[in-house]
């Protein structure tokens, strides 16, 4: 059964244009074509990248964050409470009103203190500023390396300048060693992001990030197997171009270099919108949808790769809407709004509100106690009974 499934999956009608079979893709001593088994190398390479990342963050990024003045915010810790901890771990992190009342009764605590406990407990699970800084440093380092690696690989390739060259001789386009290693570098990196996904900083577009990683891995893998490497390299370079500006924007934001952060954000916004909404549709989508038809007739692989590329474009539109909204706020307010994808802490205003309430309650209680005894103790003053009235209505110390 496994053999039948294997033979069905690798039918040449799925992967190759009409009139081309796998026999036409036979390798020789001087000619090499992409082989699906090569993709297995990306898994150990991804694990190596994970190890390199851990070493980089501990040895370089964390010490750098300290030198640059990135300080983790002191967060009040939630007091140990087995009942609330069990609910937090097994049910939900943000209980509803009825659940808060039930938990308050079980713990014999005021509802407000139960709310405070959950708020502090959620903040304990949120990543620290130094972790965000380290993650941004690692991604910035990789995107810079991969972007310039892509440029160095493609600058002398004809399809970088004439997009119709992506299809010249397709699918019998020999695999060059530089293209192979560039593909392995990118595919290994996205696999490493999948491996570290549970431990990375989670943002509000977490689900979109999963879709993005999955679509990217599928796209890279399929384009490699079907020898869409020329168009695939264009996709990779276009994506890395804007990412090179996104990560330093985060870094300067964590350092609280406001003006530098705002300037980089505007540059990133321009590069992202131009590369993802203008260059990508023309260089990639129009190329694969129209130019490829000058060489061969549509087949399954043609439709499949276009669907994957279109999914990426939908994600580009989604993120572009967020960026345009932030740019709009920046133009109106003169300062960059916080990243709407970030899972920000919720303790600041709520903690201050609770402290004010406690002070007010303590003040009212204290005032009631001292007035019931017939005097007001303030700044060391004496009781009111020791004061004599004057004709003008004021009191005079005896």
């Amino acid at each position: 059964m496994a053999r039948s499934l294997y033979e069905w999956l690798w039918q040449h009608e799925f992967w190759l244009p009409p009139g081309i079979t796998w026999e036409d893709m036979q390798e020789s001593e001087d000619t090499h074509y992409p082989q699906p088994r090569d993709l297995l190398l990306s898994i150990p390479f991804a694990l190596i990248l994970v190890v390199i990342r851990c070493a980089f963050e501990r040895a370089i990024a964390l010490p750098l964050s300290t030198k640059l003045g990135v300080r983790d915010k002191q967060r009040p810790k939630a007091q140990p409470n087995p009942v609330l901890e069990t609910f937090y771990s097994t049910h939900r992190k943000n209980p509803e009103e009825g659940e808060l009342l039930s938990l308050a009764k079980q713990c014999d605590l005021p509802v407000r203190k139960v709310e405070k406990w959950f708020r502090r407990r959620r903040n304990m699970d949120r990543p620290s500023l130094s972790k965000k800084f380290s993650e941004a440093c690692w991604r910035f380092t990789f995107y810079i390396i991969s972007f310039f690696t892509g440029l160095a690989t493609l600058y002398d390739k004809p399809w970088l300048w004439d997009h119709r060259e992506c299809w010249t001789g397709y699918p019998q386009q020999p695999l060059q060693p530089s293209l192979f290693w560039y593909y392995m570098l990118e595919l290994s990196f996205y696999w490493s992001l999948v491996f570290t996904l549970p431990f990375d900083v989670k943002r509000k577009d977490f689900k979109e990030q999963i879709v993005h990683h999955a679509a990217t891995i599928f796209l890279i893998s399929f384009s490699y197997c079907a020898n869409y490497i020329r168009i695939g390299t264009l996709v990779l370079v276009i994506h890395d171009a804007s990412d090179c500006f996104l990560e330093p924007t985060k870094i300067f934001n964590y350092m609280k270099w406001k003006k530098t952060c705002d300037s980089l954000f505007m540059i990133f916004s321009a590069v992202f919108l131009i590369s993802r909404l203008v260059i990508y549709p023309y260089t990639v989508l129009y190329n694969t949808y129209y130019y490829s038809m000058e060489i061969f007739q549509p087949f399954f692989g043609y439709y499949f790769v276009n669907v994957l590329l279109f999914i990426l474009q939908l994600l580009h539109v989604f993120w572009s809407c967020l960026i345009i909204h932030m740019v709009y706020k920046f133009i109106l307010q003169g300062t960059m709004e916080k990243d709407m994808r970030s899972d920000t802490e919720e303790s600041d205003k709520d903690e201050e509100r609770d402290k004010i309430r406690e002070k007010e309650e303590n003040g009212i209680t204290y005032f009631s106690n001292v007035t019931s005894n017939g005097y007001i103790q303030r700044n060391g003053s004496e009781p009111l009974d020791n004061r004599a009235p004057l004709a003008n209505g004021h009191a005079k110390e005896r």
Side-chain angles (χ1 to χ4, degrees), residues 206-216 311-312 315:
F206 179 73
K207 294 181 181 179
E208 288 80 5
Q209 286 283 356
I210 295 177
V211 175
H212 174 269
H213 295 341
T216 302
I311 290 174
L312 282 182
L315 292 171

Side-chain angles (χ1 to χ4, degrees), residues 322-381:
L322 296 181
I323 292 171
I324 291 172
H325 179 77
M326 295 176 71
V327 171
Y328 176 74
K329 290 290 186 181
F330 177 83
I331 294 174
L332 289 183
Q333 300 175 1
T335 183
M336 188 182 72
E337 188 185 51
K338 66 182 180 181
D339 187 354
M340 291 179 294
R341 302 177 305 131
S342 298
D343 189 13
T344 55
E345 292 190 31
E346 53 186 320
S347 63
D348 295 342
K349 293 182 180 179
D350 295 321
E351 290 287 345
E352 290 176 3
R353 220 177 275 122
D354 288 341
K355 289 180 181 178
I356 291 173
R357 287 176 182 173
E358 291 176 1
K359 287 181 179 179
E360 289 177 350
E361 291 174 356
N362 293 336
I364 292 172
T365 303
Y366 180 72
F367 183 80
S368 300
N369 291 335
V370 297
T371 52
S372 63
N373 294 328
Y375 63 90
I376 300 177
Q377 188 74 21
R378 182 180 181 186
N379 297 329
S381 60

